[in-house]
């Protein structure tokens, strides 16, 4: 932070090395996010908006870093409607740049998450398919695994039960070919397979309640933790139990967490 303040106090330093300043602000934003100091994250986002680029490369970096952090902030705090608005601005503005700068796992996953959180499931599914189509996903089993689970969850939200039966079969075939299967994905696939056979609302809620208990315990498993970091599946389960929007649950979970302090 002190280095950033020094550069800000000497305009000629900013003009000479905009790229270095962008990198420092980005790293500081990440640190603030990890400490859950979202007020300071917002301050950092304002800094990105105030930077004057010297080159097209600077402009691309500002755009990439601003929207990466803005999308994550909306996801963590449950502000999905705001995120959807920012996504529209980003997609329109990014057409002036080479599309390769935004064809990444991080961006497409954020696009999916924001659309899903805003209950725009058709669009979420489109972004998910674009994410899966990225060539560098072929060797990433963790991404393939979570994407298949998110695909099932999205189709469940859309009420596509007949299609889910086919998707479940293909997911089972995929799992049988893998050297390792996360307990998370096995439980989730089995659960959705059972869920679409239940018609009674109270029975569904009981099933979700039982799954929540299992997942709260499983999320503490060192091997399984990575799967819970991708998507707040426990918040989604809670939304089904309480019959409230996923975004509302995410907001509540965010507000219940106190900012961390550095000892």
């Amino acid at each position: 932070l002190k280095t950033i303040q020094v550069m800000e106090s000497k305009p000629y330093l900013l003009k000479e090395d905009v790229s270095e300043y962008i990198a420092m602000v980005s790293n500081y934003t990440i640190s603030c996010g990890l400490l859950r100091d979202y007020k300071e994250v917002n301050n950092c986002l304002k800094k990105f908006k105030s930077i004057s680029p010297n080159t097209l490369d600077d402009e691309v970096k500002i755009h990439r870093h601003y929207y990466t952090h803005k999308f994550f902030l909306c996801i963590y705090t449950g502000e999905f409607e705001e995120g959807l608005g920012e996504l529209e601005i980003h997609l329109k503005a990014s057409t002036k740049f080479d599309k390769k700068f935004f064809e990444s796992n991080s961006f497409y996953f954020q696009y999916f998450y924001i659309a899903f959180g805003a209950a725009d499931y058709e669009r979420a599914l489109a972004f998910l398919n674009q994410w899966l189509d990225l060539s560098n996903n072929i060797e990433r089993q963790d991404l393939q695994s979570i994407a298949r689970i998110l695909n099932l969850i999205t189709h469940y939200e859309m009420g596509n039960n007949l299609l889910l039966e086919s998707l479940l079969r293909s997911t089972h075939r995929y799992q049988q070919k893998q050297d390792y299967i996360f307990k998370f994905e096995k439980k989730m696939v089995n659960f959705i397979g059972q869920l679409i056979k239940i018609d009674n609302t109270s029975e569904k809620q009981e099933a979700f309640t039982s799954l929540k208990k299992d997942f709260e315990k499983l999320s503490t498993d060192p091997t399984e933790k990575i799967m819970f970091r991708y998507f707040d599946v426990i918040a989604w389960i809670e939304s089904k139990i309480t019959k409230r929007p996923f975004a509302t649950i995410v907001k509540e979970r965010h507000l219940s967490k106190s900012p961390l302090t550095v000892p």
Side-chain angles (χ1 to χ4, degrees):
L1 176 59
K2 288 183 179 179
T3 307
I4 292 174
Q5 292 172 337
V6 169
M7 290 193 76
E8 290 173 343
S9 68
K10 300 181 185 299
Y12 70 89
L13 290 177
L14 281 177
K15 191 172 182 179
E16 287 177 0
D17 203 344
V18 175
S19 185
E20 180 65 21
Y21 179 69
I22 294 169
M24 285 193 293
V25 173
S26 184
N27 289 334
Y28 180 58
T29 308
I30 292 170
S31 298
C32 292
L34 292 173
L35 293 172
R36 296 200 288 272
D37 186 350
Y38 298 123
K39 181 179 179 181
E40 191 63 14
V41 170
N42 273 311
N43 288 334
C44 291
L45 291 172
K46 291 176 184 177
K47 290 182 187 294
F48 282 116
K49 287 288 189 179
S50 68
I51 301 172
S52 298
N54 288 333
T55 64
L56 180 61
D57 184 58
D58 289 338
E59 193 175 351
V60 171
K61 286 179 180 177
I62 293 168
H63 186 95
R64 278 176 56 89
H65 286 291
Y66 172 82
Y67 282 103
T68 293
H69 297 307
K70 182 63 178 180
F71 291 155
F72 272 127
L73 179 63
C74 291
I75 288 168
Y76 291 150
T77 59
E79 298 294 342
F80 296 110
E81 290 296 336
E82 180 185 353
L84 206 56
E86 290 285 340
L87 178 57
E88 295 293 350
I89 297 170
H90 156 67
L91 291 174
K92 185 176 180 180
S94 63
T95 56
K96 67 183 291 186
F97 307 121
D98 191 322
K99 65 179 182 179
K100 70 180 181 182
F101 292 121
F102 307 100
E103 290 184 334
S104 67
N105 291 313
S106 177
F107 271 109
Y108 278 120
F109 177 67
Q110 288 178 319
Y111 300 166
F112 161 81
Y113 210 140
I114 287 170
F116 182 93
D120 188 345
Y121 302 121
E122 291 281 356
R123 203 166 186 198
L125 197 59
F127 286 135
L128 182 61
N129 287 330
Q130 287 177 289
W131 180 30
L132 283 168
D133 285 342
L134 294 180
S135 59
N136 60 343
N137 279 345
I138 296 172
E139 301 301 325
R140 289 289 304 275
Q141 185 184 340
D142 57 335
L143 293 181
Q144 284 283 332
S145 297
I146 192 64
R148 288 172 184 274
I149 297 302
L150 294 175
N151 190 39
L152 295 175
I153 289 174
T154 305
H155 278 290
Y156 175 77
E157 286 287 8
M158 295 170 72
N160 297 334
N161 286 5
L162 289 177
L163 180 57
L164 269 172
E165 292 180 7
S166 174
L167 291 173
L168 285 164
R169 287 194 294 271
S170 65
T171 304
H172 276 301
R173 288 195 295 271
Y174 167 79
Q175 290 181 343
Q176 289 171 356
K177 296 177 182 177
Q178 303 311 306
D179 295 327
Y180 179 81
I181 304 173
F182 288 96
K183 294 176 184 176
F184 165 85
E185 55 182 316
K186 188 173 182 180
K187 281 179 176 288
M188 199 69 213
V189 170
N190 290 338
F191 173 76
I192 292 179
Q194 295 169 358
L195 190 65
I196 60 175
K197 297 175 183 177
I198 302 174
D199 294 322
N200 186 283
T201 303
S202 61
E203 287 183 18
K204 282 188 177 182
Q205 284 186 290
E206 288 175 9
F208 274 113
T209 300
S210 177
L211 183 67
K212 184 185 176 185
K213 290 177 182 177
D214 287 346
F215 275 3
E216 285 175 337
K217 183 178 180 181
L218 190 63
S219 65
T220 63
D221 185 318
T223 305
E224 298 289 322
K225 274 185 178 180
I226 188 172
M227 302 305 286
F228 290 89
R229 289 173 185 161
Y230 285 115
F231 179 77
D232 195 346
V233 69
I234 294 177
W236 177 71
I237 294 169
E238 180 69 20
S239 75
K240 300 294 109 181
I241 295 171
T242 61
K243 298 182 180 179
R244 291 186 297 157
F246 172 70
T248 300
I249 304 300
V250 174
K251 286 180 186 178
E252 290 179 354
R253 284 162 65 84
H254 155 64
L255 293 172
S256 69
K257 297 174 182 176
S258 301
L260 299 179
T261 55
V262 179

